């Protein structure tokens, strides 16, 4: 099938950038969206043009490297699916697709569809961990954790750090990302010792990185490839208030 | 020609070797640790765990990864679980049994002492990860849950849904993040190691390319830890992430690190089959699925019927039939080879006839759909997303795919390579899995190396070596950086008629056809010729777009494919030289009457370590004899 692509091209953070249009004449319905970009790039290389740069790695929806806005939706039309697992069978012959990078001032564009998400690493560095050095751990079964609790913690721990939540948010907020780690650790006994300090430091870091605040649009939850719930954001707010009041 | 260094396995009883090693090594005092810079390349389970642990001890760590963040290394994609000898289920597990299963699973081609240490350390890993907040699966009473995996008759696998690798990696990443924020780790993301720098015969630094700006950078340290994963992408199609590559390891090989057992490749039995030529990678379905899924093909070759319409007595549950005691849970190499056999007989299923069924109908009847959803929900979803079919209703179609490489850089008991000061951890080394790795053992080894082995062995090296002061202005840095620059310029200047991907795909076809699941003298000889020809063509006819001073994925891949084109030939040569079948290395000439792998212990009970000679086609072979003092070598039987 033939697919028309309108792709954002930008040489670097200071370049203004523009859309360019391409046609892939023989896309296969079984190929993934990133494989469609691969085919386009092979075409461009043979035409003597620069291929479209995009981040990708595992192509199984778990590493969080890939992420582009497809027709205005972060990761594209299929729910709970990173764009590496979006398959072309959801499109038909002759369709046009618009492809853009994540757009947020806290995610500067590096080139084309590649953005700098290192702000996420700094948010985790501000407190998204349990301070337990190697060798200091008690026996793994020393603290029983009810299955329902660990399951809920897991739902938050499943975050892949792709940044779709930021791209989808009208405020470019990193609340869902930050809340996911705060909620994961707040639910578990291991996270209690640093619970109050963690939420304060991570939220402060999120603000310092230039992400906006949450105004409950829930666009983040809608595009999250792991289906992380915005209930986490409520948890983050509650945790933050508790922590600051008790200080 | 340098002889192979001693393996430095401590003397004494197997059970006491690691303790006696720890008792005898030199330590670095806390105040002195901060005087030492340590380079850690790669941020997967091995690299992440090592960087965090060494920084906690007080070393100054510089950590490098090719992704945009240390949280994305390919360890993240491991699904099934991690083994440990906790014996929480009370089903008879012991450290000895985990050791024995691992060495037997590896078809008696690994070092006893290394494998035993791995089994001993396994329990501490689980403790550490739980303390970090890794949400392992639990039972309703709150205790940790275990499941069984191929090659074992006990349930010793800890798991976090089908995302165990992700959760363990995030644990290590978070531990690293704490150290980065504290200033104990300097993190260099989007950097690719292009060369190793040796000064006075010791590894003292690396050359990296900044993948955003193209700049070449020099980094100096007192030791270099290579944690850069395996080389499965030499096959082009594999379950490895697209960026997984051999370049860092291969560059070290060219600087004196011997490459051990390159032919030992693991072909994983349960992957989603190839659907077309455009395919960029393969997706694994966790081996844990074989706990409840039953593998079968129709008895009749070319049977066109839909699976649900084929009556029970016309199905061949070939693993249960041939291996009644292990059934669907035979080790990976055995399961893969049998899938190939039934497809070779024309009994494969699906459009390409290169697939077998993995059927959950019976398990759903027995346990209910909800129970199956809880165990494998995310895997089923993934299958459906990729294939468009619902595995709760129709059996999955699976086929083997390249998944893991047991071979890697040769290391001694302390994980030190044949270059002093260069340590190799995780999948990048050859040490623990012999000729075949058991499921849920890769995560165990990566974390064992990073959390609990290297902090001791590196300290011993630092404390017992006289490391002269050196600077990045040293001639060795000039030479290495110039070589890297010349190579990049050459890749960009060819502007030939074929893309990097085309060359890579062609190499992959050669490797899969001749150095894949089943190998012959004739095929391997053909492969060697073809790879060498393809390599020559690559350097005449590759087309790399763009320039160096930019984010240029094709340029990155070009350098990696160039190295795969050298490695592939050595893999074929190693496979040709190893005239026996062992684990994942199956030579058709060496099999029993029943088609099982036939080892030749008299001649091949050794590690084959290849030394770079200056000519990629003519490496020099060194042998490390494997001494088995504690286990009796038997023919692996899972019947």
């Amino acid at each position: 099938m033939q697919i028309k692509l309108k792709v954002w091209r930008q040489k670097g953070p200071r370049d203004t950038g523009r859309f360019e249009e391409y046609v892939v004449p023989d896309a296969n319905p079984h190929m993934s969206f990133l494989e469609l970009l691969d085919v386009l790039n092979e075409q461009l290389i043979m035409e003597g043009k620069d291929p479209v740069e995009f981040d990708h790695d595992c192509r199984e929806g778990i590493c969080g490297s890939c992420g582009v806005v497809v027709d205005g939706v972060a990761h594209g039309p299929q729910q709970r699916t990173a764009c590496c697992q979006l398959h072309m069978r959801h499109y038909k012959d002759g369709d046009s697709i618009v492809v853009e990078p994540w757009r947020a001032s806290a995610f500067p564009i590096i080139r084309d569809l590649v953005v700098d998400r290192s702000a996420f690493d700094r948010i985790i560095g501000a407190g998204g961990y349990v301070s337990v050095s190697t060798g200091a751990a008690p026996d793994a079964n020393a603290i029983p954790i009810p299955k329902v609790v660990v399951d809920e913690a897991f739902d938050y721990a499943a975050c892949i750090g792709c940044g779709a939540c930021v791209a989808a948010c009208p405020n470019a907020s990193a609340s869902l990302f930050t809340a996911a780690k705060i909620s994961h650790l707040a639910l578990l006994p291991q996270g209690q010792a640093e619970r109050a300090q963690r939420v304060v430091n991570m939220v402060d870091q999120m603000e310092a990185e230039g992400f906006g605040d949450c105004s409950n649009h829930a666009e983040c939850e809608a595009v999250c490839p792991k289906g992380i719930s915005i209930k986490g954001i409520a948890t983050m707010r509650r945790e933050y208030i508790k922590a600051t009041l008790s200080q | 020609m340098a002889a192979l260094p001693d393996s430095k396995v401590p003397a004494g009883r197997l059970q006491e070797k690691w303790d006696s090693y720890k008792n005898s090594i030199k330590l670095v005092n806390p105040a002195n640790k901060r005087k030492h810079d340590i380079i850690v390349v790669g941020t997967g389970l091995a690299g992440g765990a090592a960087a965090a642990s060494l920084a906690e001890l007080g070393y100054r760590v510089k950590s490098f990864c090719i992704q945009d963040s240390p949280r994305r290394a390919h360890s993240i994609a491991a699904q099934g679980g991690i083994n440990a000898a906790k014996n929480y289920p009370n089903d008879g597990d012991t450290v000895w049994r985990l050791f024995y299963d691992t060495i037997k699973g590896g078809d008696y081609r690994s070092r006893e002492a290394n494998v035993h240490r791995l089994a001993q350390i396994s329990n501490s890993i689980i403790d550490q990860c739980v303390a970090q907040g890794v949400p392992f699966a639990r039972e309703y009473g709150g205790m940790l849950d275990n499941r069984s995996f191929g090659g074992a008759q006990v349930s010793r696998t800890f798991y976090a849904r089908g995302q165990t690798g992700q959760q363990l990696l995030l644990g290590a990443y978070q531990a690293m993040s704490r150290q980065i924020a504290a200033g104990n780790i300097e993190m260099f993301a989007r950097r690719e190691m292009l060369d190793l720098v040796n000064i006075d015969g010791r590894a003292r630094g690396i050359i990296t390319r900044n993948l955003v700006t193209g700049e070449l950078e020099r980094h100096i340290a007192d030791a270099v830890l290579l944690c850069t994963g395996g080389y499965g992408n030499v096959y082009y199609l594999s379950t490895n992430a697209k960026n997984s590559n051999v370049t860092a390891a291969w560059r070290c090989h060219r600087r004196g690190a011997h490459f051990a057992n390159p032919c030992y490749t693991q072909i994983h039995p349960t992957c989603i089959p190839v659907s077309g030529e455009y395919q960029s990678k393969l997706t694994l379905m966790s081996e844990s699925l074989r706990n409840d899924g039953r593998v079968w093909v129709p008895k009749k070759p070319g049977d066109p019927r839909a699976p649900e319409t084929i009556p029970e007595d016309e199905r061949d549950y070939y693993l249960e039939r041939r291996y009644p005691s292990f059934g669907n849970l035979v080790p990976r190499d055995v399961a893969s080879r049998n899938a190939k056999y039934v497809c070779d007989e024309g009994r494969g299923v699906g459009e390409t006839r290169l697939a077998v069924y993995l059927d959950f109908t019976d398990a759903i009847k027995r346990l209910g759909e909800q129970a199956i959803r809880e165990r494998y929900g995310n895997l089923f979803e993934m299958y459906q997303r990729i294939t468009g079919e619902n595995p709760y209703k129709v059996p999955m179609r699976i086929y083997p795919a390249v998944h893991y490489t047991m071979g890697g850089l040769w290391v001694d008991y302390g994980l030190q390579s044949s270059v002093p000061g260069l340590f190799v951890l995780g999948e990048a080394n050859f040490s623990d899995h012999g000729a075949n790795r058991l499921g849920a053992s890769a995560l165990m080894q990566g974390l064992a190396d990073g959390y609990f082995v290297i902090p001791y062995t590196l300290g011993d090296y630092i404390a017992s070596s006289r490391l002269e002061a050196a600077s990045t202005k040293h001639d060795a840095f000039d030479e290495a950086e110039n070589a890297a620059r010349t190579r990049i310029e050459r890749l960009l200047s060819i502007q030939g008629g074929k893309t990097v991907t085309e060359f890579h795909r062609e190499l992959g076809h050669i490797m899969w056809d001749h150095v894949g699941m089943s190998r012959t003298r004739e095929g391997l000889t053909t492969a060697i010729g073809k790879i060498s020809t393809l390599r020559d063509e690559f350097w005449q006819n590759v087309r790399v777009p763009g320039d160096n001073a930019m984010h240029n994925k094709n340029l990155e891949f070009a350098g990696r494919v160039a190295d795969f084109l050298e490695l592939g030939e050595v893999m074929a040569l190693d496979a040709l030289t190893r005239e026996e079948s062992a684990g994942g290395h199956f030579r058709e000439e060496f099999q029993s009457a029943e088609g099982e792998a036939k080892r030749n212990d008299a001649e091949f009970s050794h590690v084959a370590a290849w030394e770079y000679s200056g000519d990629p086609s003519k490496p020099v072979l060194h042998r490390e004899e494997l001494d088995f003092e504690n286990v009796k070598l038997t023919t692996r039987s899972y019947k």
Side-chain angles (χ1 to χ4, degrees):
Chain A
M1 59 190 192
Q2 191 195 71
I3 298 287
K4 295 192 193 97
L5 284 162
K6 199 168 156 189
V7 184
W8 186 259
R9 304 302 306 261
Q10 183 172 339
K11 282 192 172 6
R14 274 180 290 277
D15 183 24
T16 44
R18 74 242 159 254
F19 280 110
E20 280 187 19
E21 289 181 30
Y22 307 103
V23 176
V24 176
D26 51 355
N28 179 308
H30 293 301
M31 65 175 42
S32 71
F33 182 73
L34 296 190
E35 285 168 344
L36 179 76
L37 294 183
D38 290 342
V39 172
L40 168 67
N41 278 346
E42 292 291 290
Q43 242 172 261
L44 293 177
I45 294 168
M46 292 322 287
E47 289 167 10
K49 295 177 184 153
D50 282 345
V52 178
E53 295 292 314
F54 61 97
D55 266 326
H56 62 90
D57 203 11
C58 79
R59 299 197 173 196
E60 296 181 11
I62 194 76
C63 75
S65 295
C66 69
V68 291
V69 174
V70 181
D71 287 333
V73 181
H75 286 306
Q78 202 184 0
Q79 283 217 320
R80 297 195 63 169
T81 304
C83 61
C84 59
Q85 293 203 306
L86 171 63
H87 279 69
M88 296 312 294
R89 66 178 74 92
H90 301 287
Y91 292 88
K92 56 183 193 303
D93 186 39
D95 275 357
S96 286
I97 305 175
V98 181
V99 190
E100 295 170 86
W102 290 165
R103 294 191 191 277
S105 56
F107 286 168
I109 290 180
I110 292 174
R111 192 179 176 92
D112 298 337
L113 306 174
V114 179
V115 301
D116 178 355
R117 289 169 290 195
S118 55
F120 272 11
D121 291 325
R122 291 186 291 273
I123 292 174
I124 298 295
Y129 47 76
V130 174
S131 295
V132 52
S133 294
T134 304
D139 184 85
N141 255 349
I143 313 164
I145 307 174
K147 185 178 184 305
V148 284
V149 173
V150 86
D151 283 352
E152 194 185 349
F154 194 106
D155 290 341
Y156 292 114
C159 170
I160 59 173
C162 62
C165 47
V166 175
C169 177
N171 310 333
S173 174
S175 287
L176 191 65
F177 169 80
T178 311
K181 188 49 62 188
I182 287 166
S183 305
H184 160 211
L185 295 175
L187 279 159
L188 295 177
Q190 297 93 316
Q192 298 312 307
E194 296 162 292
R195 184 171 174 174
Q197 203 54 52
R198 174 181 305 116
V199 65
V200 172
N201 291 353
M202 288 180 75
V203 168
D204 289 354
Q205 188 66 36
M206 174 176 78
E207 283 175 16
E209 295 290 348
F211 293 105
D213 203 352
C214 172
S215 46
N216 295 318
H217 283 74
E219 293 287 340
C220 52
E221 182 185 270
V223 299
C224 176
K226 296 294 145 186
I228 291 170
S229 163
I230 53 164
K231 277 199 302 191
I233 300 179
T235 303
M236 174 171 78
R237 292 208 182 284
R238 242 186 349 260
E239 292 284 314
Y240 190 87
I241 292 165
K242 270 199 281 188
T244 44
L245 287 180
S246 63
Q247 260 175 10
Chain B
M1 180 177 121
L4 197 64
D6 186 75
S7 62
K8 294 190 189 141
V9 172
R13 281 180 65 227
L14 184 64
Q15 289 80 350
E16 288 155 16
K17 284 179 193 288
W18 180 230
D19 280 338
S20 73
Y21 176 88
K22 288 193 285 188
N23 290 338
S24 66
I25 54 170
K26 291 191 176 154
L27 301 175
V28 183
N29 101 39
N32 282 342
K33 286 199 183 84
R34 60 176 165 270
K35 294 179 189 156
H36 294 283
D37 286 314
I38 310 296
I39 284 172
V40 183
V41 187
T43 57
L45 290 178
S53 304
L54 295 174
E56 287 160 6
L57 286 171
Y59 292 104
R60 289 185 314 218
V61 176
K62 293 182 188 178
S63 169
F64 298 82
C65 70
I66 50 177
Q67 295 86 357
D68 68 324
S69 160
R71 68 178 291 150
R72 307 208 196 278
H74 190 53
S75 305
I76 205 155
Q79 298 169 355
I82 176 166
N83 287 331
K86 285 281 195 188
N87 192 32
Y88 287 153
N90 195 30
D91 58 355
D93 203 9
T94 60
V95 166
W96 173 266
R97 212 174 271 281
L98 173 54
F99 154 74
Y100 182 77
D101 286 347
T102 308
I103 212 150
K104 174 189 173 195
D107 219 354
Y108 307 99
R109 288 295 174 262
S110 38
R111 262 189 220 135
E112 277 188 344
N114 285 57
V115 178
H116 194 272
R117 175 179 64 192
L118 179 65
Q120 280 176 296
I121 289 172
S122 64
N123 292 344
S124 307
I125 298 171
I126 303 302
D127 298 342
Q128 186 64 32
C129 296
V130 166
Q132 289 169 345
V134 169
F136 281 119
R138 287 174 185 266
E139 293 164 352
Y140 282 98
M143 296 303 165
L144 289 157
D145 190 23
N146 287 112
R147 61 185 174 196
S148 52
F149 246 64
Q153 286 174 314
V154 293
S155 291
R156 63 160 72 101
T157 304
F158 294 79
Y159 65 102
R161 295 190 191 155
Q163 290 150 254
T164 316
Q166 181 203 24
Q167 294 307 316
L168 297 178
L169 184 67
L170 293 180
Y173 158 75
Q174 287 164 203
M176 265 187 91
S177 297
R178 176 163 78 107
Q179 297 304 318
I180 294 170
N184 301 327
I185 298 178
E186 195 179 351
M187 185 66 224
F188 299 87
R190 294 196 192 267
R191 298 300 201 291
E192 177 158 24
M193 172 178 165
L194 293 183
D195 211 346
L196 175 73
V197 180
N198 296 330
I199 297 176
D200 300 331
R202 292 177 187 278
R204 291 302 297 273
I206 60 173
I207 303 292
T208 56
R209 180 172 177 269
N210 180 322
L211 300 180
V212 175
T213 64
E215 222 172 315
L216 294 181
E217 303 160 332
R218 304 174 178 201
H219 299 278
I220 192 163
D222 295 320
V224 175
L225 273 49
L226 202 72
C227 315
T228 51
Y231 49 88
N233 271 344
V234 67
Y235 291 85
Y236 184 68
L237 285 184
S238 82
T239 65
N240 285 7
K242 290 300 285 177
N243 287 299
S244 299
N245 69 86
V246 80
T247 287
W250 195 251
R251 296 284 121 192
C252 291
H253 172 60
R254 291 179 62 121
R255 294 282 180 191
H258 299 348
F259 212 111
N261 301 333
C263 78
Y264 290 160
T265 313
Q266 179 160 85
I267 316 265
H268 196 291
T270 50
C271 300
I272 299 178
V274 177
S275 65
E277 185 62 11
Y278 57 81
Q279 189 123 10
S280 60
K281 69 132 5 204
L282 296 172
T283 304
L284 175 82
M285 291 278 103
S286 168
E287 167 169 321
S288 60
L289 292 169
R290 287 196 277 142
N291 268 306
D292 289 305
R294 297 179 71 196
V295 176
W296 65 277
V297 289
K299 282 187 178 163
K300 200 167 71 188
D303 196 326
R305 289 174 292 178
E308 62 276 13
T309 65
I310 300 179
E312 203 58 31
D313 63 345
E314 290 179 47
R315 301 174 175 195
D316 180 10
Y317 294 90
Y318 57 91
L319 290 177
E320 297 170 23
R321 173 172 58 81
R322 293 192 60 182
Y323 308 95
S325 71
F326 278 70
N328 292 297
L329 285 176
V330 292
R332 292 174 174 177
D333 54 335
V334 178
S336 291
R337 217 152 34 237
N338 278 281
K340 180 182 187 302
Y341 290 154
V342 295
C343 291
D344 287 350
E345 289 162 15
R347 297 195 287 146
V349 300
E351 248 173 69
T352 59
R353 301 268 155 206
L354 284 177
V356 299
Y357 290 125
L358 178 62
D359 197 337
F360 289 87
T361 314
D362 289 349
I364 291 173
K365 266 188 217 145
R366 192 174 71 244
L367 305 162
E369 193 172 311
Q370 189 50 32
I372 295 299
R373 196 179 298 277
E374 269 182 30
R375 283 183 199 175
Y376 313 111
N378 64 319
L379 298 172
F380 277 43
E381 259 178 54
M382 179 150 84
Y383 181 85
Q384 186 161 12
R385 223 173 268 138
I386 292 173
T387 63
E389 290 176 0
N390 178 357
Y392 293 101
K393 302 276 174 252
V394 289
M396 286 184 177
R397 282 172 297 112
I398 53 160
Y399 198 63
V402 173
H403 175 56
Y404 186 89
T405 49
M406 283 73 68
L409 294 182
W410 182 91
V411 289
D412 65 17
Y413 186 72
L415 305 180
Q416 187 165 212
S417 73
S418 52
V419 177
L422 174 68
F423 294 79
V424 190
L425 285 67
E427 189 181 353
N429 75 28
F430 87 105
S431 77
D432 293 0
H433 307 296
N436 173 58
R437 178 176 65 75
L438 288 185
S441 285
L443 304 186
M444 173 172 66
Q445 187 222 338
L447 290 179
D449 288 0
Y451 284 134
F452 296 109
V453 179
I454 199 70
Y456 295 89
T457 64
L458 177 77
D460 187 42
Y461 171 77
I462 296 285
S464 53
S465 310
R466 265 184 70 88
L467 293 158
E468 304 292 336
S471 96
T472 54
K473 295 199 174 67
H474 194 282
D475 290 350
F477 274 98
D478 289 342
E479 190 266 323
E481 187 187 319
N482 288 338
R485 178 166 295 110
T486 308
R487 193 161 181 264
I488 290 169
E489 284 165 1
R490 200 173 148 206
L491 285 168
L492 286 163
S493 69
I494 300 166
Q495 290 304 321
K498 266 159 77 170
T499 64
V500 174
T501 306
E502 286 177 88
F503 279 104
H504 196 175
R505 202 180 277 135
E506 251 178 80
L507 172 65
H509 280 309
I510 301 172
M511 296 300 294
W512 181 250
D513 289 346
H514 302 297
V515 200
M517 265 188 284
S518 184
R519 304 154 176 191
T520 63
R521 188 173 297 121
E522 197 192 346
L524 292 165
T525 313
T526 309
I528 290 171
K530 281 187 172 177
I531 297 166
S532 156
T533 310
L534 188 65
R535 188 169 64 233
D536 290 344
E537 194 203 333
F538 176 88
W539 285 104
Q540 303 294 326
N541 194 32
V542 72
R543 175 183 292 204
V544 183
D547 57 50
N548 179 45
M550 59 186 265
H551 190 280
N552 188 343
K553 270 260 182 291
N554 268 271
L555 177 58
E556 296 168 26
F557 276 87
R560 298 170 194 167
V561 171
D563 289 334
F564 280 138
L565 282 162
E566 295 186 2
L567 165 76
E569 192 177 340
V570 180
M571 288 170 71
L573 179 63
D574 185 44
L576 183 67
T577 312
R578 185 166 287 278
E579 297 198 306
E580 65 164 349
S581 294
H585 168 64
F586 189 78
R587 283 280 300 266
E588 287 179 22
E589 302 94 324
F590 309 103
Q591 55 180 309
S592 69
E594 292 165 309
E596 300 295 338
K598 204 164 144 193
R599 289 195 324 265
N600 177 350
D601 294 330
E603 286 178 84
F604 290 97
S605 182
H606 63 246
V607 177
W610 298 89
E611 179 189 359
Y612 184 70
S613 68
D615 176 351
S617 299
K618 295 193 175 61
V620 180
L621 176 62
H622 300 273
R623 294 182 182 85
E624 179 196 333
E625 292 305 324
L626 292 168
D627 300 321
F628 293 93
E629 294 167 352
N630 299 276
V631 299
K632 207 169 132 258
L633 273 62
T634 57
T635 300
R636 268 193 325 165
S637 170
Y638 294 96
K639 286 190 187 286

